[in-house]
């Protein structure tokens, strides 16, 4: 259940003319307001915002918050300046992605948001890891909401003020506009474009949510080993889909090459300039030029994660 649903069922912005509600897991906010391509152009121009109030919000306060999160996550947070936005992951001991979130520190509190329904497990994990750290972790989804801005930027506002946001940020556009921009940028959603086996190297997250020069954190050995010595077993890929087909592939559908399964598709969207797009996790060995098919739709690849990643930084032994 999304934060919007738990906070009262539906965002008040769904009451605006033309609003069509998004499907799960994003139920409770508008997918669009009736002008899909125009909404994408307005978001790109910076004259609109996206209601992302279905996402879960949490806070981490206390004097130890940044050093504590620095030690737990993949991101370098110890010296994070106020109002600097970033992303972080929490990995399993094997280096697989367990939690992901975007965050900002206001000088007193870290504010973070994560996928709909994901905050409870994240808060529970963080609470178990407090030990003697002076921190307090709270889910505040019932009181705070996320709004998306141009360039995949975001801000937080009191949930009670959602209905007034158009006066401050311009007319809202639907979630589909945000998703089209996100997919075109190659940014995966944790749990939708990744699975329980995904490591950051596979998902193109090393430059986004992983700091390769920071100290030890859970799962770091896998990330470092694959980055410096090996190649990721799979690679996130942007698929350009056949625009003549009347549907987008269902999430979780098999991706095939010459009839052989080579991966799984995640999220998809129709981009106003690039046409229909999707993100997929493919086997590293798939030829980057190979034509693919997913859910009956032909697809061409745009490389996001280099299949030879690791070889470029592998130390050379001189004889």
């Amino acid at each position: 259940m999304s934060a919007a649903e738990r906070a009262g069922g539906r965002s008040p912005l769904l009451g605006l003319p033309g609003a069509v509600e998004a499907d799960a897991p994003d139920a409770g906010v508008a997918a669009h307001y009736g002008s899909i391509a125009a909404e994408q152009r307005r978001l790109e121009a910076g004259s609109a915002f996206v209601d992302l109030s279905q996402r879960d919000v949490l806070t981490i306060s206390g004097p130890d918050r940044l050093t504590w999160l620095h030690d737990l996550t993949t991101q370098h947070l110890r010296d994070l300046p106020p109002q600097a936005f970033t992303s972080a992951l929490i990995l399993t001991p094997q280096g697989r992605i367990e939690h992901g979130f975007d965050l900002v520190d206001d000088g007193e509190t870290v504010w973070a948001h994560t996928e709909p329904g994901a905050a409870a497990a994240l808060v529970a994990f963080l609470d178990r890891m407090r030990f003697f750290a002076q921190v307090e972790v709270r889910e505040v989804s019932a009181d705070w909401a996320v709004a998306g801005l141009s360039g995949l930027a975001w801000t937080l506002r009191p949930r009670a003020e959602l209905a007034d946001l158009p006066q401050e940020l311009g007319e809202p556009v639907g979630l589909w506009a945000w998703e089209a921009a996100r997919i075109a940028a190659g940014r995966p959603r944790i749990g939708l474009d990744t699975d329980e086996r995904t490591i950051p190297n596979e998902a193109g997250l090393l430059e986004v949510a992983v700091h390769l020069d920071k100290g030890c954190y859970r799962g770091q050995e896998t990330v470092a080993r694959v980055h410096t010595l090996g190649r990721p077993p799979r690679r996130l890929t942007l698929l350009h889909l056949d625009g003549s087909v009347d549907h987008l592939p269902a999430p979780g559908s098999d991706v095939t090459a010459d009839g052989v399964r080579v991966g799984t598709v995640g999220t998809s969207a129709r981009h106003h300039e690039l046409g229909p797009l999707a993100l997929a996790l493919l086997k590293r060995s798939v030829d980057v030029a190979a034509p693919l098919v997913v859910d009956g739709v032909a697809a061409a690849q745009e490389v996001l994660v280099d299949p030879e990643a690791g070889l470029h930084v592998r130390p050379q032994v001189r004889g």
Side-chain angles (χ1 to χ4, degrees):
M1 182 181 293
S2 73
E5 292 176 297
R6 285 185 278 114
R10 303 168 81 243
S11 167
L13 298 177
L14 275 172
L16 294 177
V20 175
E21 187 170 0
D23 295 328
D26 298 310
V29 300
H32 63 85
Y33 294 90
S35 302
I36 298 170
E39 290 175 30
Q40 292 183 35
R41 289 192 289 267
R42 286 168 49 211
L43 182 62
E44 287 183 358
S47 60
F49 75 97
V50 183
D51 180 2
L52 298 178
S53 62
Q54 85 281 11
R55 293 184 63 81
D56 286 358
V57 182
L58 61 149
T59 59
I60 302 99
S61 57
D64 297 337
R65 65 191 183 283
L66 291 178
T67 54
W68 180 69
L69 285 171
H70 178 93
D71 293 338
L72 288 176
T73 73
T74 57
Q75 190 57 271
H76 196 295
L77 300 175
R78 180 177 293 121
D79 303 315
L80 185 71
Q83 306 307 323
F85 290 75
T86 190
S87 302
L89 304 171
I90 292 173
L91 308 181
T92 69
Q94 295 76 34
R96 297 166 180 163
I97 299 173
E98 188 168 9
H99 301 286
F101 50 96
D102 298 315
L103 69 136
V104 65
D105 186 81
D106 66 6
E108 296 182 351
T109 301
V110 170
W111 296 80
H113 66 93
T114 188
E115 289 293 333
L122 176 56
V123 169
F125 172 82
L126 293 174
D127 269 336
R128 291 196 303 270
M129 302 304 293
R130 281 188 305 162
F131 301 111
F132 299 107
Q134 297 183 63
V135 294
E136 181 183 5
V137 183
R138 297 176 56 230
E139 181 179 359
V140 294
S141 307
D143 300 316
W144 291 87
V146 185
L149 307 173
S150 178
L152 300 182
W154 56 274
T155 185
L156 288 167
R157 291 293 189 275
R159 186 171 291 275
E161 298 177 9
L162 273 175
D164 300 324
L165 275 188
Q167 301 174 34
E168 176 189 353
L169 300 177
E171 289 302 309
V173 297
L175 180 68
W176 285 2
W178 177 271
E179 288 293 274
R182 177 189 62 79
I183 292 170
R187 290 289 301 272
R189 287 180 66 174
I190 304 304
L192 298 179
D193 296 305
T194 65
D195 59 25
E196 70 281 355
R197 298 184 294 117
T198 305
I199 62 175
N201 314 64
E202 296 176 320
L205 292 170
L206 296 190
E207 302 299 325
V208 176
V210 179
H211 195 288
L212 292 170
D213 296 325
K214 64 168 285 187
C216 183
Y217 55 86
R218 192 170 76 161
Q220 182 193 29
E221 182 179 351
T222 297
V223 173
R225 182 174 65 249
V226 173
H227 177 65
T228 59
L229 299 177
R231 292 172 286 182
R234 299 178 298 174
R235 55 183 178 87
L236 188 73
T237 304
L238 179 63
L239 299 183
H240 291 262
L241 304 169
D242 180 0
S244 67
V245 180
D246 63 358
H247 71 277
L248 294 172
S253 296
D254 289 345
V255 181
T256 62
D258 293 327
V260 178
R261 183 183 182 278
V262 295
T264 305
V265 76
T267 55
S268 58
R270 297 186 186 277
H271 193 278
H272 71 104
E273 290 182 337
L274 302 176
L277 304 172
L279 292 176
L281 274 175
L282 304 179
K283 294 179 180 178
R284 180 188 57 78
S285 58
V286 177
D287 188 330
V288 297
L292 305 174
V293 176
V294 52
D295 197 13
V297 183
Q301 303 176 58
E302 180 177 333
V303 174
L304 297 176
V305 175
D306 187 345
E308 303 301 325
L311 294 183
H312 308 311
V313 295
R314 184 176 294 177
Q316 301 295 313
V317 179
R318 300 182 180 275

